[in-house]
Amino acid sequence: MKNSDHYDKTVKFFRASAIERQGYYDAKPQGALEHNIWQMRIRKIVLELLDELSPDPDISKVIDVGCGRGDFTIEIAKRYRRFSEVWGSDFSKETLEIAQRNGAALEKVFFREANLLNMPFKEKSFGLCLCINTMHHIHKNDISKSLSELARITDKYIVLEVKNNDNLYMRYVRSKALGGINVYPTSVKEVSGVLKKYGFRLVRQKGIFLFNWLSPLLVLVYKA
Protein backbone atom coordinates (compact mmCIF):
# COMPACT_ATOMS: atom_id res chain seq x y z
CA MET A 1 0.00 0.00 0.00
CA LYS A 2 1.28 3.47 -0.88
CA ASN A 3 1.94 5.84 1.98
CA SER A 4 -0.74 8.28 0.79
CA ASP A 5 -3.36 5.54 0.46
CA HIS A 6 -2.61 4.33 3.98
CA TYR A 7 -3.03 7.80 5.50
CA ASP A 8 -6.19 8.54 3.50
CA LYS A 9 -7.80 5.36 4.84
CA THR A 10 -6.58 6.09 8.36
CA VAL A 11 -8.05 9.61 8.32
CA LYS A 12 -11.40 8.22 7.14
CA PHE A 13 -11.32 5.54 9.86
CA PHE A 14 -10.75 8.06 12.65
CA ARG A 15 -13.30 10.47 11.22
CA ALA A 16 -15.90 7.69 11.38
CA SER A 17 -14.88 6.71 14.91
CA ALA A 18 -15.27 10.33 16.04
CA ILE A 19 -18.75 10.57 14.55
CA GLU A 20 -20.01 7.11 15.44
CA ARG A 21 -18.15 6.28 18.69
CA GLN A 22 -17.14 9.63 20.15
CA GLY A 23 -13.51 8.94 19.28
CA TYR A 24 -13.24 5.55 21.02
CA TYR A 25 -11.88 3.81 17.97
CA ASP A 26 -10.92 0.65 19.88
CA ALA A 27 -14.39 0.21 21.41
CA LYS A 28 -16.27 -2.89 20.35
CA PRO A 29 -19.19 -2.38 17.93
CA GLN A 30 -22.39 -1.75 19.90
CA GLY A 31 -20.30 -2.02 23.06
CA ALA A 32 -19.49 0.44 25.81
CA LEU A 33 -17.71 3.62 24.73
CA GLU A 34 -14.42 2.99 26.50
CA HIS A 35 -10.82 2.08 25.77
CA ASN A 36 -9.87 -1.57 25.65
CA ILE A 37 -8.05 -3.30 28.49
CA TRP A 38 -4.65 -3.15 26.75
CA GLN A 39 -4.84 0.61 26.39
CA MET A 40 -5.93 1.05 29.99
CA ARG A 41 -2.93 -1.02 31.08
CA ILE A 42 -0.61 1.12 28.92
CA ARG A 43 -1.98 4.31 30.46
CA LYS A 44 -1.38 2.93 33.94
CA ILE A 45 2.24 2.13 33.03
CA VAL A 46 2.78 5.59 31.52
CA LEU A 47 1.43 7.29 34.65
CA GLU A 48 3.73 5.19 36.84
CA LEU A 49 6.68 6.33 34.75
CA LEU A 50 5.52 9.95 34.77
CA ASP A 51 5.32 9.82 38.55
CA GLU A 52 9.07 9.20 38.47
CA LEU A 53 9.87 11.80 35.80
CA SER A 54 7.53 14.63 36.74
CA PRO A 55 9.64 16.14 39.58
CA ASP A 56 12.43 16.91 37.08
CA PRO A 57 12.63 20.74 36.92
CA ASP A 58 13.49 20.56 33.23
CA ILE A 59 9.94 19.41 32.51
CA SER A 60 7.53 22.31 32.24
CA LYS A 61 5.80 22.00 28.89
CA VAL A 62 4.49 18.57 27.88
CA ILE A 63 2.95 17.33 24.66
CA ASP A 64 0.77 14.27 24.06
CA VAL A 65 1.27 13.43 20.38
CA GLY A 66 -1.59 11.46 18.88
CA CYS A 67 -3.87 12.53 21.72
CA GLY A 68 -7.10 11.39 20.09
CA ARG A 69 -10.13 12.56 22.07
CA GLY A 70 -7.82 14.16 24.67
CA ASP A 71 -8.94 12.34 27.80
CA PHE A 72 -5.42 11.18 28.68
CA THR A 73 -3.99 14.64 27.95
CA ILE A 74 -6.48 16.13 30.37
CA GLU A 75 -5.76 13.47 33.00
CA ILE A 76 -2.05 14.32 32.82
CA ALA A 77 -2.73 18.05 33.24
CA LYS A 78 -4.89 17.42 36.30
CA ARG A 79 -2.53 14.87 37.86
CA TYR A 80 0.70 16.88 37.44
CA ARG A 81 -0.19 20.42 38.36
CA ARG A 82 3.40 21.66 38.25
CA PHE A 83 3.43 21.34 34.44
CA SER A 84 2.91 24.83 33.05
CA GLU A 85 1.40 23.72 29.72
CA VAL A 86 0.05 20.40 28.50
CA TRP A 87 -0.52 20.13 24.77
CA GLY A 88 -2.33 17.50 22.76
CA SER A 89 -1.92 17.07 19.02
CA ASP A 90 -3.68 14.82 16.54
CA PHE A 91 -4.04 14.55 12.77
CA SER A 92 -7.78 13.78 12.93
CA LYS A 93 -9.70 17.04 12.86
CA GLU A 94 -12.95 15.44 14.00
CA THR A 95 -11.35 13.62 16.92
CA LEU A 96 -9.46 16.75 17.96
CA GLU A 97 -12.73 18.70 18.08
CA ILE A 98 -13.89 16.27 20.79
CA ALA A 99 -10.65 16.90 22.70
CA GLN A 100 -11.03 20.67 22.42
CA ARG A 101 -14.55 20.49 23.83
CA ASN A 102 -13.44 18.22 26.68
CA GLY A 103 -10.55 20.50 27.64
CA ALA A 104 -12.19 23.88 27.06
CA ALA A 105 -12.42 24.70 30.77
CA LEU A 106 -8.76 23.99 31.54
CA GLU A 107 -6.46 26.99 31.20
CA LYS A 108 -3.15 25.17 30.73
CA VAL A 109 -4.42 22.53 28.27
CA PHE A 110 -4.05 23.24 24.56
CA PHE A 111 -4.90 21.20 21.47
CA ARG A 112 -3.55 21.60 17.96
CA GLU A 113 -4.08 19.72 14.72
CA ALA A 114 -0.72 18.29 13.63
CA ASN A 115 0.85 15.69 11.38
CA LEU A 116 3.55 13.62 13.05
CA LEU A 117 5.68 13.81 9.91
CA ASN A 118 5.78 17.61 10.07
CA MET A 119 5.03 18.92 13.54
CA PRO A 120 4.14 22.64 13.78
CA PHE A 121 6.36 23.32 16.79
CA LYS A 122 9.82 24.82 17.22
CA GLU A 123 12.86 22.78 18.18
CA LYS A 124 12.99 21.72 21.84
CA SER A 125 9.56 23.16 22.57
CA PHE A 126 8.74 20.51 25.18
CA GLY A 127 10.58 19.04 28.12
CA LEU A 128 8.65 15.82 27.74
CA CYS A 129 6.94 14.29 24.73
CA LEU A 130 4.42 11.44 24.99
CA CYS A 131 3.45 9.38 21.97
CA ILE A 132 1.03 6.65 23.04
CA ASN A 133 -1.04 4.34 20.83
CA THR A 134 0.10 6.20 17.74
CA MET A 135 3.31 4.92 16.15
CA HIS A 136 1.67 1.83 14.62
CA HIS A 137 -0.45 4.14 12.47
CA ILE A 138 2.67 5.54 10.83
CA HIS A 139 3.57 3.80 7.57
CA LYS A 140 6.68 1.64 7.93
CA ASN A 141 8.51 3.84 5.41
CA ASP A 142 7.93 6.90 7.60
CA ILE A 143 8.98 5.57 11.00
CA SER A 144 12.37 7.31 10.92
CA LYS A 145 10.86 10.63 9.85
CA SER A 146 8.23 10.55 12.60
CA LEU A 147 10.81 9.74 15.28
CA SER A 148 13.07 12.54 14.04
CA GLU A 149 10.18 14.97 14.51
CA LEU A 150 9.57 13.77 18.06
CA ALA A 151 13.27 14.24 18.79
CA ARG A 152 13.32 17.68 17.17
CA ILE A 153 10.54 19.15 19.32
CA THR A 154 11.70 17.48 22.57
CA ASP A 155 14.30 18.83 24.96
CA LYS A 156 14.75 15.94 27.41
CA TYR A 157 12.34 12.97 27.59
CA ILE A 158 10.39 10.96 25.02
CA VAL A 159 7.89 8.42 26.36
CA LEU A 160 6.85 6.18 23.53
CA GLU A 161 4.50 3.21 23.25
CA VAL A 162 5.13 0.73 20.45
CA LYS A 163 3.48 -2.40 19.11
CA ASN A 164 6.34 -4.84 19.62
CA ASN A 165 7.31 -6.48 16.34
CA ASP A 166 9.57 -8.89 18.23
CA ASN A 167 6.44 -10.38 19.80
CA LEU A 168 4.99 -13.21 17.69
CA TYR A 169 1.38 -12.27 18.39
CA MET A 170 1.88 -8.68 17.31
CA ARG A 171 3.90 -9.64 14.25
CA TYR A 172 1.55 -12.25 12.82
CA VAL A 173 -1.88 -11.41 14.18
CA ARG A 174 -2.31 -7.76 15.06
CA SER A 175 -0.01 -6.56 12.28
CA LYS A 176 -2.82 -7.28 9.83
CA ALA A 177 -5.37 -4.65 8.86
CA LEU A 178 -7.43 -3.38 11.80
CA GLY A 179 -10.85 -2.01 10.95
CA GLY A 180 -9.82 -1.62 7.32
CA ILE A 181 -6.51 0.17 8.00
CA ASN A 182 -3.04 -1.33 8.18
CA VAL A 183 -0.98 -1.13 11.36
CA TYR A 184 2.81 -1.26 11.51
CA PRO A 185 4.51 -2.75 14.57
CA THR A 186 8.13 -1.83 15.17
CA SER A 187 10.95 -2.94 17.45
CA VAL A 188 12.93 -1.46 20.32
CA LYS A 189 16.08 -1.90 18.24
CA GLU A 190 14.66 0.07 15.31
CA VAL A 191 13.31 2.90 17.44
CA SER A 192 16.46 3.14 19.57
CA GLY A 193 18.65 3.14 16.47
CA VAL A 194 16.84 6.16 15.05
CA LEU A 195 16.61 8.15 18.27
CA LYS A 196 20.27 7.53 19.06
CA LYS A 197 21.15 9.63 15.99
CA TYR A 198 19.42 12.56 17.66
CA GLY A 199 21.06 12.13 21.05
CA PHE A 200 18.38 10.11 22.86
CA ARG A 201 19.20 6.93 24.75
CA LEU A 202 16.82 4.31 26.11
CA VAL A 203 16.67 4.48 29.93
CA ARG A 204 13.52 2.49 30.75
CA GLN A 205 11.22 -0.01 29.10
CA LYS A 206 8.15 -1.69 30.50
CA GLY A 207 5.64 -4.05 28.90
CA ILE A 208 2.07 -4.96 29.71
CA PHE A 209 3.26 -8.41 30.83
CA LEU A 210 5.87 -9.36 33.42
CA PHE A 211 8.55 -10.08 30.82
CA ASN A 212 9.16 -7.50 28.09
CA TRP A 213 9.87 -10.12 25.44
CA LEU A 214 6.37 -11.53 26.03
CA SER A 215 4.68 -8.15 25.78
CA PRO A 216 2.95 -7.15 22.54
CA LEU A 217 2.91 -3.56 23.81
CA LEU A 218 5.93 -1.77 25.27
CA VAL A 219 6.42 1.66 26.82
CA LEU A 220 9.90 3.09 26.19
CA VAL A 221 11.50 6.05 27.93
CA TYR A 222 14.27 7.94 26.12
CA LYS A 223 16.41 10.70 27.60
CA ALA A 224 18.45 13.30 25.73
Side-chain angles (χ1 to χ4, degrees):
M1 179 183 290
K2 294 180 180 178
N3 298 26
S4 58
D5 291 340
H6 166 67
Y7 295 125
D8 287 344
K9 289 185 177 181
T10 303
V11 167
K12 291 178 182 178
F13 176 83
F14 281 98
R15 179 183 298 127
S17 76
I19 295 170
E20 299 167 5
R21 288 173 285 175
Q22 298 181 28
Y24 289 102
Y25 87 92
D26 50 353
K28 295 180 179 179
Q30 286 77 53
L33 295 179
E34 60 186 14
H35 295 293
N36 64 37
I37 190 169
W38 281 15
Q39 285 310 311
M40 296 307 294
R41 173 61 178 152
I42 283 294
R43 291 184 177 206
K44 183 176 184 295
I45 290 171
V46 171
L47 291 176
E48 290 171 355
L49 293 170
L50 289 184
D51 285 346
E52 299 175 12
L53 298 177
S54 61
D56 190 323
D58 291 335
I59 303 176
S60 178
K61 294 176 61 177
V62 175
I63 186 168
D64 180 15
V65 176
C67 67
R69 63 191 312 280
D71 48 353
F72 195 49
T73 315
I74 292 169
E75 181 177 357
I76 290 168
K78 291 180 176 179
R79 183 181 180 100
Y80 305 105
R81 297 187 179 277
R82 63 165 299 274
F83 294 161
S84 62
E85 296 180 16
V86 180
W87 287 74
S89 69
D90 203 275
F91 76 114
S92 171
K93 178 182 178 181
E94 292 77 12
T95 307
L96 202 63
E97 288 174 351
I98 297 173
Q100 290 169 331
R101 290 196 298 271
N102 291 341
L106 300 174
E107 292 184 357
K108 67 176 183 179
V109 175
F110 307 89
F111 293 101
R112 185 168 182 178
E113 187 175 348
N115 187 322
L116 185 46
L117 301 180
N118 186 21
M119 297 292 284
F121 301 101
K122 296 179 180 180
E123 292 185 7
K124 301 185 183 303
S125 292
F126 303 96
L128 185 146
C129 173
L130 300 169
C131 189
I132 309 302
N133 198 29
T134 298
M135 287 300 301
H136 59 289
H137 294 303
I138 301 299
H139 193 281
K140 60 184 179 181
N141 295 335
D142 292 327
I143 293 294
S144 293
K145 174 60 177 174
S146 62
L147 291 172
S148 72
E149 279 295 279
L150 295 181
R152 181 183 65 80
I153 66 172
T154 306
D155 185 47
K156 193 162 187 179
Y157 295 104
I158 297 174
V159 179
L160 183 70
E161 180 250 325
V162 297
K163 274 40 176 182
N164 181 18
N165 198 45
D166 291 331
N167 178 269
L168 294 179
Y169 174 77
M170 189 56 67
R171 184 185 302 175
Y172 295 112
V173 180
R174 289 299 294 273
S175 62
K176 303 184 188 307
L178 174 66
I181 58 174
N182 285 348
V183 296
Y184 299 97
T186 186
S187 67
V188 176
K189 181 179 180 181
E190 179 181 10
V191 173
S192 298
V194 174
L195 290 178
K196 183 178 180 180
K197 299 176 184 177
Y198 302 98
F200 285 85
R201 60 184 176 88
L202 180 65
V203 293
R204 288 288 303 276
Q205 62 175 302
K206 191 170 184 179
I208 60 173
F209 299 149
L210 179 61
F211 300 106
N212 289 335
W213 63 273
L214 278 175
S215 294
L217 310 184
L218 294 172
V219 179
L220 312 174
V221 180
Y222 290 89
K223 183 177 179 180

